[in-house]
Amino acid sequence: MRRILRHGPSPALVIACIALGIALAGTSFAAVNALPRNSVGTAQIKNRAVTTKKISKKTLTQLKGNRGPRGATGATGATGATGATGAKGDKGDTGQTGPPGPFPDPLPSGRTLRGHFGSEGYAASPAELITTHSFVFTLASDPIGVLVPLGGPNPDPTHCAGSVASPTAAPGYLCVYERQRGSATPFLYEVNKYGFEYVLAATGGGTTYTYSLGTWAVTAP
């Protein structure tokens, strides 16, 4: 008995045997829990357990369908509020305000000026009433004056072919169209490049209301 006890297993051997047993047990556990190939199906996968990170890019591309047709255009939206009015510009493309144009002095040839005239007052024959009328713009030379009296005849229909309602004059002519008159005989006294003088010779036997009204036109020579 003493010999048997004396030759029993050493502590190192016991430890080695224990370690071997643990290693063999682990291998058996792994073998038992290892899944056979192609054994996992939909029944073994939990719903929503597979994320996009677990799926290959090639598979994700294959899962995408074709682009659908374009949808109909939506209804027009409501009109927005009106914006504030912008500041008025006063500069040209160069960014600088241009210089003022030249004053028409003398009035360019062929340009027509029009106006209204009137002369009235109390007078007795042979008194005369005189009024002056300015063209405002200066002509290059004195025009030829023509008076178209109330009721006619027109002394120069070629150069004064207009009317009281639409006075006209040929270049180099002043045409005066009479519209109303009372107790007087009218005539042009002075015509020059600045304007003209209109004269009424009273025809009444006593002091009466004398008048003459109308329109005129002058065209630069």
Side-chain angles (χ1 to χ4, degrees):
M1 290 297 292
R2 289 181 179 178
R3 184 176 295 179
I4 295 174
L5 292 174
R6 186 177 296 175
H7 296 282
S10 65
L13 178 63
V14 172
I15 294 173
C17 291
I18 294 173
L20 178 62
I22 293 174
L24 292 175
T27 303
S28 300
F29 180 80
V32 170
N33 288 276
L35 297 176
R37 186 172 182 174
N38 297 328
S39 63
V40 177
T42 58
Q44 285 75 28
I45 300 176
K46 183 180 179 181
N47 290 341
R48 292 181 293 276
V50 179
T51 63
T52 55
K53 291 183 179 180
K54 301 297 182 179
I55 303 176
S56 66
K57 293 183 178 180
K58 182 178 180 181
T59 302
L60 288 175
T61 303
Q62 293 176 349
L63 292 175
K64 292 182 179 180
N66 296 328
R67 184 183 295 274
R70 185 174 181 177
T73 302
T76 302
T79 302
T82 302
T85 302
K88 182 179 179 180
D90 59 351
K91 296 184 178 181
D93 296 337
T94 61
Q96 301 295 328
T97 301
F103 187 80
D105 186 23
L107 188 70
S109 178
R111 298 298 297 270
T112 300
L113 302 175
R114 295 176 176 85
H116 178 271
F117 75 90
S119 181
E120 56 185 325
Y122 290 91
S125 178
E128 295 178 346
L129 299 177
I130 302 175
T131 56
T132 59
H133 303 273
S134 174
F135 298 145
V136 180
F137 295 98
T138 304
L139 305 183
S141 59
D142 296 343
I144 299 173
V146 176
L147 172 61
V148 181
L150 178 67
N154 186 339
D156 191 351
T158 301
H159 299 101
C160 298
S163 63
V164 172
S166 181
T168 61
Y173 278 80
L174 165 68
C175 300
V176 179
Y177 300 88
E178 189 181 27
R179 182 181 64 194
Q180 294 178 341
R181 186 200 309 167
S183 303
T185 300
F187 60 93
L188 296 176
Y189 177 69
E190 177 73 22
V191 178
N192 56 41
K193 61 183 181 181
Y194 304 111
F196 64 96
E197 292 182 0
Y198 192 71
V199 180
L200 288 181
T203 59
T207 301
T208 58
Y209 181 63
T210 303
Y211 63 93
S212 178
L213 306 171
T215 58
W216 58 266
V218 64
T219 301

